[in-house]
Amino acid sequence: MSLAIPNGLDNTVERPGERAPLVLGNTNYHDITESVCQVAERKPSAGWVGGFLVAFALLQMLGLLIVYLIYTGVGVWGNRAPIFWGWPIVNFVFWVGIGHAGTLISAILYLFRQEWRTSINRAAEAMTIFAVACAGTFPGIHVGRAWLAFWLAPYPSLNLWMWPQFRSPLLWDVFAVSTYGTVSLLFWYMGMVPDLATFRDRSKNKYRRMIYGLLCLGWSGSSRHWMRYEKAYAILAALAAPLVLSVHTIVSFDFAVSQVPGWHTTIFPPYFVAGAIFSGFAMVLTLMIPARSMLNLEKLITIRHLENMCKIILATGSLVGLAYGTEFFIAWYGQVPAEQFAFINRAFGPYWWAYWTMVSCNVISPQLFWFKKCRTTPWIIVVVCIFVNIGMWFERFVITITSLSRDYLPSAWAYFSPTWVDWGMLIGSFGLFFTLFLLFCRTLPVINMAEVKSSLAKQHHMAHAAAEHGEAEH
Amino acid sequence: MAYNRCIGTRYCANNCPVKVRRFNYFNYNAEVGVGYGVEAFPSAIEKANRKLQALVLNPEVTVRGRGVMEKCTYCVQRVEKAKIHARKEGRKIEDGDVITACQAACSTNAIDFGNISDEESVVAKKHADTRAYGMLEQLNIKPRTMYLARVRNPHPRLKTTQQIEDLATIEAHHGHGGHGEGDGHDEHAADAHGEAAHNDSAHSDEHHGEEQHAE
Amino acid sequence: MIMERFLFPRWTNPFLLVLGAAIGGGGLFAAAMGGLLTDPVTLNIGYQPTQPVPFSHAIHAGQLKLDCRYCHNTVFDASHAAVPPTATCINCHSPKNEAGQTSLAAVQADSLNLKPIHESWKSGKSMQWIRIHNLPEFVYFNHSAHVNSGVSCVSCHGRIDQMEKVYQHEELSMAWCIGCHQNPNEHLRPKEFVTKLDWEPSDDFWKEHYDVANQEEFALKVREEESINPQRHCAVCHR
């Protein structure tokens, strides 16, 4: 099975009794340090500069649009009765979903001792945080009076003695997303401390040394530091693991707790979480595949890593497909006319195009990953993953907008059309995401060097043991 | 609505099954002297013509600013006024104390408004009518606004099967527990209000001309 | 190589203490600012602007025992307790004409303090009194609903009859309003004494007039009879 993988870089073949290597080539510890540090230390490439300028321009656009929005009123979006929630909520849920892969990779896979997470977890965590930042932009500006959005936070107010409505899922959302953002950020930063120390030690100018020195909190690499680091990391992983499941569960409550037909379903929490992991992994792959070739990291982020993620995408994509089917089944089985209508309307109503875009992107396209060739050919993976990203955006569009556009009373039905501000904000949120991601590539260690080195050590150890074993047998 | 507490998440409007809520997407009162930002400062508002324009606003009702949700309040300012007036006279609220704006404007008197917890009031009686129905009652939203089904009286030979069946159901219902239907409605009314003893009020509409789903 | 590392030197350790103190102090400061400084008790109580005329409630309502309703005459009928027009002042303080004659009663007709009143009377322009008890525009308070239920002026305005210069006596915040709507009993009295700010019932007053033992029982009785059940839902005050 040579496929398109260059010689010596194929680690996707399973050999019973032997662990597949996760670091390829004759890579030693120093090579790992070199290949990760060069990403941030060399002069920025033209591609990076160009990409950054575009992303930054889009971010500026987002900023200006937010100013325009707050100055004029939320009517600048396409939201109109009965579609009171439009693209901003679609974007919010989309970005929160994207933010799920990072913590899943770093916390849950860590607790399950999945060694292959080591070379991808850092970038995935960074992505999580940037995606949560994008997501966090929307709810705050989505409210009619953004200057009072702080009323969502429970703080004692002496002249009212009033609290926010704790029975409202919107308030749960504030807690869920902000907790998730905080824990992810801490987890990401904690894991980065040893690598920041490496950056500090390699830096050639005073300011870099100072900044990385402050950031790595005086890391000296002593055994005591390592022991405490490992402990803290395990604790944070254990804390973060349930959050992976809780965040999108609670985001789904925004919909599930309401009584809009098409929203009011108990399947939403698992369905949303599966969808979130699905879209998160798709986004990780979409970014990681171009990045690994542009930053020369093929030996660390191997085809096996990509293949494993493709398998997760296949699994979660099929789960999402099952959820789509289940929704229809329950709508029929539940015999609630409004519910039945909501689902028939989704598939065959005025938004049929959105529904079938969603189904073909989310359910059909990942089925390609049943074929090993598709799981191991980077360009096919990227194409499928982009489809998945589009499909998952449409999933949120379908849920939010088709359900609202036609609920109980036909007299209140309407068709949603986005405005240029809707488009601008969607594109601008990508600008925010890529600005942060590109800055991250240039300033922080994109791969968890310390952990990759430890898995390399295990790899060497095992190879060594196997060789000894072989000798003994002869 | 406590407009001053509303931050405009619009979640209530999403959840409203009858979709009666409307949102202030923009500042719709700029022309009548309500400003935001720099416009909010008195120097801008105190211009004579703006003060004059502001006279179109009802001083008994909060001017809904940009970014808040609103809906029909059943003319809560008139309701409160009537309640306070009744208190001054030391009596309970009666039929005719509250005339809502829509009621005042309706030339065919199709709308009645009053105290549903008072069994003798016109609305309570109409709520108890077999013709009374609420919109989307099956969702357990306990609507206070009730409608009366259209009355038809076709020649018996021209009745459709559906009409005959419906009539049979209604008559069976009536014969069964006397005022069973009516009591049911009263309970609804009291539930929806919670404060039945305190001169609260309710609302009933009656649509004669429109096609209703009575058959 | 090791020497070049940026590690925190030992002398930075005391800064940890400083950092801790700063965080703790900052928290305290924020609590003090947010909690005490913005408390309506701090913000509202004691607001005492200088009026264009140094009208003394202590003299008029206290010593001379003018009833509140002589000036604030709409209090039992309307939501607003009217601020009197200049004409009400002129009833007693009418100015002298060229001949030195006054058209009505002429208490202190020469007082310099009354000059703005006399000017207002001549020109027809209203006095620019400064409002002290001011609620936000989204609050609809109704005086008549309260005084007709037997809530005295003193409950919200304090002993105006002892104030040389009127100031805000209560916080007039929402929590304060709701506190009374939750438990109105102690503020209820017979309607005829609502405007008597210094009213103290005699020992046998309740027994004699209402056949109850004390004010508490009176409150329960009158609430039952007149169904005084203050509401706490939004639409009571917000429309």
Side-chain angles (χ1 to χ4, degrees), chain A residues 351-369:
Chain A
Y351 292 100
W352 61 271
W353 50 272
Y355 184 80
W356 294 108
T357 307
M358 169 187 96
V359 170
S360 32
C361 290
N362 286 354
V363 187
I364 299 169
S365 76
Q367 302 309 322
L368 279 178
F369 287 154

Side-chain angles (χ1 to χ4, degrees), chain A residues 175-441:
Chain A
F175 285 100
V177 176
S178 58
T179 310
Y180 186 63
T182 315
V183 173
S184 303
L185 187 68
L186 274 178
F187 198 35
W188 179 57
Y189 176 61
M190 253 279 307
M192 221 156 31
V193 165
D195 289 354
L196 286 169
T198 310
F199 267 43
R200 171 199 62 190
D201 296 344
R202 287 172 59 97
S203 44
K204 297 199 176 61
N205 88 38
K206 200 166 67 180
Y207 298 106
R208 276 180 83 97
R209 194 179 314 147
M210 179 89 170
I211 291 164
Y212 285 120
L214 284 171
L215 283 176
C216 73
L217 306 171
W219 179 267
S220 70
S222 70
S223 321
R224 179 175 296 183
H225 278 184
W226 276 110
M227 188 196 75
R228 287 182 178 157
Y229 166 80
E230 294 284 351
K231 237 183 217 172
Y233 197 79
I235 290 171
L236 271 179
L239 276 177
L243 284 178
V244 179
L245 304 178
S246 72
V247 180
H248 231 52
T249 300
I250 288 173
V251 171
S252 80
F253 286 166
D254 288 349
F255 302 97
V257 168
S258 79
Q259 59 169 351
V260 180
W263 284 12
H264 184 68
T265 53
T266 45
I267 197 179
F268 265 18
Y271 161 27
F272 266 53
V273 171
I277 293 165
F278 179 54
S279 68
F281 272 91
M283 189 57 117
V284 170
L285 281 170
T286 317
L287 287 187
M288 211 78 105
I289 290 172
R292 76 193 262 276
S293 65
M294 278 193 268
L295 307 174
N296 302 320
L297 297 169
E298 283 105 335
K299 287 181 182 168
L300 300 180
I301 303 172
T302 67
I303 296 290
R304 189 182 183 81
H305 289 99
L306 306 185
E307 197 196 359
N308 281 351
M309 288 194 270
C310 288
K311 286 177 184 167
I312 293 183
I313 289 186
L314 176 59
T316 48
S318 307
L319 272 175
V320 167
L322 177 68
Y324 296 161
T326 312
E327 280 188 322
F328 271 85
F329 171 75
I330 293 295
W332 166 76
Y333 185 66
Q335 287 291 310
V336 178
E339 196 77 11
Q340 288 175 337
F341 172 77
F343 285 97
I344 291 168
N345 179 49
R346 267 187 199 176
F348 307 109
Y351 292 100
W352 61 271
W353 50 272
Y355 184 80
W356 294 108
T357 307
M358 169 187 96
V359 170
S360 32
C361 290
N362 286 354
V363 187
I364 299 169
S365 76
Q367 302 309 322
L368 279 178
F369 287 154
W370 287 107
F371 304 102
K372 180 154 185 170
K373 187 173 169 63
C374 299
R375 292 200 302 269
T376 50
T377 313
W379 72 265
I380 298 184
I381 304 179
V382 172
V383 170
V384 170
C385 286
I386 289 175
F387 273 123
V388 170
N389 284 324
I390 294 171
M392 283 310 290
W393 191 87
F394 270 98
E395 181 193 300
R396 279 62 181 250
F397 177 89
V398 165
I399 291 173
T400 310
I401 287 169
T402 61
S403 310
L404 285 176
S405 72
R406 291 186 160 189
D407 70 344
Y408 295 101
L409 297 179
S411 57
W413 289 356
Y415 191 82
F416 177 83
S417 358
T419 63
W420 64 274
V421 182
D422 282 310
W423 282 103
M425 285 202 171
L426 172 61
I427 297 164
S429 69
F430 279 93
L432 171 60
F433 183 76
F434 282 108
T435 304
L436 292 171
F437 194 80
L438 288 168
L439 282 176
F440 160 73
C441 286

Side-chain angles (χ1 to χ4, degrees), chain A residues 115-126:
Chain A
E115 284 283 319
W116 62 275
R117 64 179 269 286
T118 51
S119 58
I120 51 168
N121 75 339
R122 174 66 44 73
E125 283 171 41

Side-chain angles (χ1 to χ4, degrees), chain B residues 116-176:
Chain B
I116 32 174
S117 59
D118 172 8
E119 283 174 21
E120 294 306 307
S121 70
V122 174
V123 266
K125 283 178 184 160
K126 286 195 173 171
H127 272 211
D129 194 312
T130 41
R131 285 163 59 211
Y133 69 96
M135 204 185 271
L136 296 172
E137 269 183 310
Q138 71 271 25
L139 300 174
N140 197 24
I141 53 177
K142 299 177 181 170
R144 277 187 284 178
T145 304
M146 301 274 256
Y147 299 86
L148 292 180
R150 184 177 177 180
V151 178
R152 288 171 222 227
N153 193 16
H155 190 276
R157 283 189 185 166
L158 292 175
K159 275 181 188 162
T160 61
T161 332
Q162 181 76 53
Q163 283 169 340
I164 292 167
E165 277 172 16
D166 283 348
L167 202 62
T169 328
I170 290 170
E171 276 164 2
H173 220 76
H174 237 27
H176 217 264

Side-chain angles (χ1 to χ4, degrees), chain B:
Chain B
M1 278 292 299
Y3 300 110
N4 53 308
R5 270 315 270 188
C6 176
I7 62 170
T9 64
R10 311 195 279 292
Y11 198 42
C12 61
N14 282 346
N15 278 301
C16 177
V18 285
K19 287 283 174 287
V20 293
R21 289 183 170 257
R22 288 296 176 268
F23 190 67
N24 288 280
Y25 283 104
F26 297 105
N27 175 21
Y28 297 118
N29 295 311
E31 291 302 309
V32 287
V34 180
Y36 271 91
V38 263
E39 301 283 294
F41 289 101
S43 61
I45 289 178
E46 294 298 311
K47 284 177 194 157
N49 57 343
R50 293 187 83 183
K51 275 178 116 171
L52 193 65
Q53 281 169 326
L55 293 177
V56 306
L57 299 170
N58 183 348
E60 293 301 317
V61 182
T62 310
V63 178
R64 276 81 68 208
R66 163 156 81 79
V68 304
M69 190 58 75
E70 64 178 85
K71 75 175 279 290
C72 161
T73 61
Y74 295 91
C75 287
V76 66
Q77 74 281 10
R78 298 184 184 208
V79 174
E80 290 297 323
K81 190 178 172 184
K83 282 191 196 174
I84 291 167
H85 191 70
R87 165 164 306 288
K88 281 187 283 195
E89 295 186 354
R91 59 174 173 86
K92 302 242 171 187
I93 204 156
E94 293 161 7
D95 275 342
D97 278 353
V98 186
I99 304 290
T100 62
C102 58
Q103 195 181 357
C106 180
S107 52
T108 56
N109 293 332
I111 298 168
D112 278 306
F113 187 92
N115 182 1
I116 32 174
S117 59
D118 172 8
E119 283 174 21
E120 294 306 307
S121 70
V122 174
V123 266
K125 283 178 184 160
K126 286 195 173 171
H127 272 211
D129 194 312
T130 41
R131 285 163 59 211
Y133 69 96
M135 204 185 271
L136 296 172
E137 269 183 310
Q138 71 271 25
L139 300 174
N140 197 24
I141 53 177
K142 299 177 181 170
R144 277 187 284 178
T145 304
M146 301 274 256
Y147 299 86
L148 292 180
R150 184 177 177 180
V151 178
R152 288 171 222 227
N153 193 16
H155 190 276
R157 283 189 185 166
L158 292 175
K159 275 181 188 162
T160 61
T161 332
Q162 181 76 53
Q163 283 169 340
I164 292 167
E165 277 172 16
D166 283 348
L167 202 62
T169 328
I170 290 170
E171 276 164 2
H173 220 76
H174 237 27
H176 217 264
H179 290 287
E181 181 79 30
D183 291 342
H185 278 296
D186 279 345
E187 267 166 40
H188 266 297
D191 274 2
H193 253 277
E195 329 252 17
H198 316 310
N199 296 340
D200 265 317
S201 30
H203 183 184
S204 158
D205 292 1
E206 168 183 4
H207 281 237
H208 286 298
E210 283 178 35
E211 188 73 32
Q212 300 291 342
H213 308 284
E215 55 274 316

